[in-house]
Amino acid sequence: MSTNKNSNTVQDYEDVLAIVAGYVDGLKTGNIEQLKKAFHQDAVMYGHLEHDLSQGSIENLYAYVQDFGAAPNIQTNLTVLHKTSTTAVVRVEMEHDAADEDFTDYHSLIKINGEWKIVAKLFHLYTK
């Protein structure tokens, strides 16, 4: 009989939050290379920008940051909604991004070869 050990450690939670905090830091500084460290190379993102659906590659995020630059006034709250030993979902409440927009993001992460990476970003833009 195989046992399925629960290896949800406090360190894992901290590691997951550190990856998402790296994403926030990349937004704050406008540093695309910092952002790329948080995301898997094949990551995707989906969400509505007013009436348009933004969909596809995470390259869309990098293009957004390229266009709008740094977000020095960004404020965020990060919450791990659920985590297993190899997967996690994190909610990011965000105010005042580089375009002075407010969003809620949901990031899906996976642990690959001992390293956490964001593989999907879903977002909601709030109208002002």
Side-chain angles (χ1 to χ4, degrees), residues 36 38-44 57-59 62 117-119:
K36 288 182 177 182
F39 288 90
H40 186 275
Q41 65 185 12
D42 296 323
V44 295
S57 167
I58 200 63
E59 294 292 328
Y62 307 147
K117 290 288 182 180
I118 302 168
V119 294

Side-chain angles (χ1 to χ4, degrees), residues 57-128:
S57 167
I58 200 63
E59 294 292 328
N60 292 326
L61 173 65
Y62 307 147
Y64 181 88
V65 172
Q66 182 71 40
D67 289 345
F68 289 98
N73 299 319
I74 197 169
Q75 296 179 354
T76 60
N77 179 276
L78 311 179
T79 305
V80 177
L81 299 176
H82 192 75
K83 194 191 86 50
T84 68
S85 58
T86 60
T87 61
V89 177
V90 176
R91 180 182 60 223
V92 180
E93 296 292 353
M94 180 183 317
E95 297 175 354
H96 308 294
D97 80 343
D100 199 32
E101 300 287 358
D102 300 340
F103 288 89
T104 295
D105 289 352
Y106 297 96
H107 294 262
S108 296
L109 293 87
I110 191 161
K111 194 174 196 179
I112 303 172
N113 297 323
E115 185 176 14
W116 290 98
K117 290 288 182 180
I118 302 168
V119 294
K121 167 189 161 120
L122 296 174
F123 66 88
H124 174 80
L125 168 67
Y126 294 96
T127 56
K128 292 191 174 193

Side-chain angles (χ1 to χ4, degrees), residues 7-19:
S7 57
N8 269 329
T9 65
V10 170
Q11 185 61 56
D12 266 346
Y13 281 90
E14 291 174 2
D15 292 346
V16 164
L17 287 172
I19 291 298

